[in-house]
Amino acid sequence: MDIQIFPHRILSADTTEKILIELNELEDINRIVLQGQRLPDDPSNPDRRTITVKGEEIDLQIKTGRILMEIVNEDVIEDVKVIAEKHLPFGFNVYAGTFIRKEKTVSDLMKYGDLDNLPDDMVGLTDQNAEL
């Protein structure tokens, strides 16, 4: 099952980093996908920066508009709402459904090559608008 946090505003890099750090502490979340407007490649862009989550540096290439999560059990939804309320005072909606692809597609084949060796946790993470 997937859930989606849909903030009422586009998130800054700082807010994205803070919310991801807390969401990663929850055990019932398998993976998290950020979705939003792509930032220009210009390194002087103040919105384009590196965030640190779980000790790993991530080059944030988007302005976060949605946070998609694959969850193990529905009980985690209340914990996610508490974290979202803490970091998103301007409001948000949480939706349950299917938001992350689970099946391998032609886009995955073009991006990663041999689908037999593609790990299941990489399925659905292809940016269809990115140049290959």
Side-chain angles (χ1 to χ4, degrees):
M1 171 181 205
D2 299 339
I3 60 172
Q4 169 184 245
I5 300 175
F6 192 19
H8 294 172
R9 295 185 185 166
I10 301 286
L11 304 183
S12 69
D14 292 334
T15 304
T16 299
E17 183 175 28
K18 290 174 188 173
I19 201 166
L20 285 178
I21 288 170
E22 287 201 36
L23 289 173
N24 274 304
E25 294 174 1
L26 300 177
E27 294 180 13
D28 290 336
I29 297 177
N30 283 344
R31 61 182 169 164
I32 299 173
V33 178
L34 301 178
Q35 188 179 49
Q37 180 182 357
R38 191 177 225 20
L39 292 170
D41 285 336
D42 182 14
S44 65
N45 186 326
D47 293 327
R48 189 174 186 112
R49 70 177 192 78
T50 302
I51 62 173
T52 304
V53 179
K54 282 188 159 178
E56 185 176 333
E57 291 188 351
I58 301 167
D59 182 27
L60 192 60
Q61 300 177 1
I62 63 165
K63 290 284 280 184
T64 306
R66 298 180 193 186
I67 302 172
L68 311 174
M69 289 164 277
E70 183 180 332
I71 60 173
V72 175
N73 108 38
E74 291 183 26
D75 297 337
V76 77
I77 295 174
E78 288 306 314
D79 297 332
V80 168
K81 285 182 180 178
V82 169
I83 292 169
E85 286 171 358
K86 179 179 175 183
H87 295 287
L88 308 174
F90 42 80
F92 63 92
N93 293 33
V94 175
Y95 300 104
T98 303
F99 303 105
I100 303 171
R101 284 187 293 110
K102 310 288 191 259
E103 301 295 323
K104 298 174 184 174
T105 66
V106 173
S107 296
D108 293 317
L109 175 65
M110 292 175 64
K111 182 79 172 189
Y112 303 113
D114 184 17
L115 292 180
D116 294 331
N117 296 326
L118 180 65
D120 289 337
D121 59 345
M122 293 298 291
V123 173
L125 301 183
T126 306
D127 180 1
Q128 285 79 14
N129 296 324
E131 291 183 23
L132 299 174

